[in-house]
Amino acid sequence: MDRDLTEPTSDLAAEVAELARRYRRANGPVIRLVNRLGGAFEAQLSALPESVRSQIERVTAQALEASYGVAARTPDLGPRGPMAAVIASGAAGGAGGLPTAVAELPVTVTLFLNAIRAEARAAGFDPNEDWVRAECLQVFSAGSPLKQDDGVNTSFIGSRLALTGSAVQNLIAAIAPKLAAVLGQKLAAQAIPVLGAVSGATLNAAYLAFYREVARVRFALLKLAEEHGTEAVEAEFRLAATPPKVIRA
């Protein structure tokens, strides 16, 4: 009996459609609220001292570079450990207002990256392989919880980078502005002492949930690419993740 050649394509389309649905729903209620209040947060961010605003991207890049090495040496915190840790980190960072919020950034970025590495491991990849380490970093550029950046980077499946020192620097330089925009919103919310502790804990939890879900989708797609090929999976995901165009009469 001849094999039905349409079946693998149908199965792949269904699996990718489910992953695209999960990606679209990665934003939880807290992030949706933040996006609705985006103007207020942006005004609060612009009210921060210029020295602080210019520092955010620099600190973010430094945090990414440091956590890239530190996360590899950090033990797996289990399924609930990362959430508890980022909540505690956010609360501690916001308790003292802006100075402690800035100081908290490297800890939070490391915890985010540690959780992303755990998702790579759960999908069957070795997070210590260079190309997987690159994929872990690129989760931060695969999409963003911010409303103004609701697109998704689909040109990543199978892009197994050889991470030389310069390649890591270039990758971090490309990612840092995007992550800094997210963390800048968080810093603005944490700028008020005591109240900032609640904001920091809440936003850390929401952002961790977002990036962890994006990582699950990303590594699931990479797993499918090993079976079905890069081009087929990338095409299916781009199709499933792109909202249909609204045609007005």
Side-chain angles (χ1 to χ4, degrees):
M1 181 177 178
D2 291 337
R3 182 181 178 184
D4 184 356
L5 296 180
T6 63
E7 185 176 350
T9 303
S10 177
D11 290 346
L12 175 61
E15 288 185 71
V16 172
E18 172 60 18
L19 291 172
R21 184 190 68 82
R22 288 179 60 180
Y23 178 85
R24 289 193 298 270
R25 295 179 61 181
N27 277 343
V30 171
I31 293 177
R32 288 196 292 271
L33 176 61
V34 168
N35 281 326
R36 283 200 295 270
L37 299 174
F41 277 105
E42 287 171 12
Q44 194 168 344
L45 180 60
S46 64
L48 294 176
E50 175 61 32
S51 59
V52 174
R53 283 184 281 139
S54 62
Q55 185 182 11
I56 291 174
E57 188 172 324
R58 184 173 70 254
V59 170
T60 301
Q62 291 170 346
L64 281 170
E65 187 172 357
S67 63
Y68 176 77
V70 172
R73 300 190 294 273
T74 305
D76 186 356
L77 301 177
R80 297 183 181 179
M83 185 61 73
V86 296
I87 288 173
S89 175
L98 198 55
T100 54
V102 173
E104 171 243 339
L105 283 184
V107 177
T108 294
V109 172
T110 300
L111 290 169
F112 284 172
L113 193 54
N114 183 273
I116 291 168
R117 285 169 54 84
E119 295 303 328
R121 189 180 299 109
F125 297 105
D126 180 358
N128 291 320
E129 286 190 38
D130 278 353
W131 77 271
V132 181
R133 295 174 77 191
E135 290 295 338
C136 289
L137 280 177
Q138 290 191 103
V139 166
F140 293 121
S141 67
S144 166
L146 299 185
K147 184 177 181 179
Q148 64 265 32
D149 181 26
D150 56 0
V152 57
N153 173 15
T154 60
S155 302
F156 58 78
I157 305 170
S159 57
R160 302 194 174 191
L161 301 178
L163 286 192
T164 62
S166 60
V168 172
Q169 292 296 324
N170 290 338
L171 183 57
I172 288 174
I175 292 169
K178 195 169 214 177
L179 183 57
V182 176
L183 298 179
Q185 295 272 32
K186 188 174 86 78
L187 282 179
Q190 287 178 283
I192 304 172
V194 183
L195 290 178
V198 177
S199 300
T202 303
L203 289 175
N204 270 14
Y207 289 158
L208 175 67
F210 173 83
Y211 285 122
R212 187 148 57 180
E213 185 68 359
V214 170
R216 286 172 185 158
V217 170
R218 189 179 185 90
F219 289 111
L221 288 170
L222 288 167
K223 206 68 180 175
L224 286 173
E226 290 184 344
E227 180 181 354
H228 298 282
T230 296
E231 291 184 4
V233 174
E234 189 173 321
E236 287 287 355
F237 186 69
R238 187 182 295 111
L239 180 66
T242 302
K245 292 183 178 179
V246 177
I247 301 176
R248 299 183 183 276

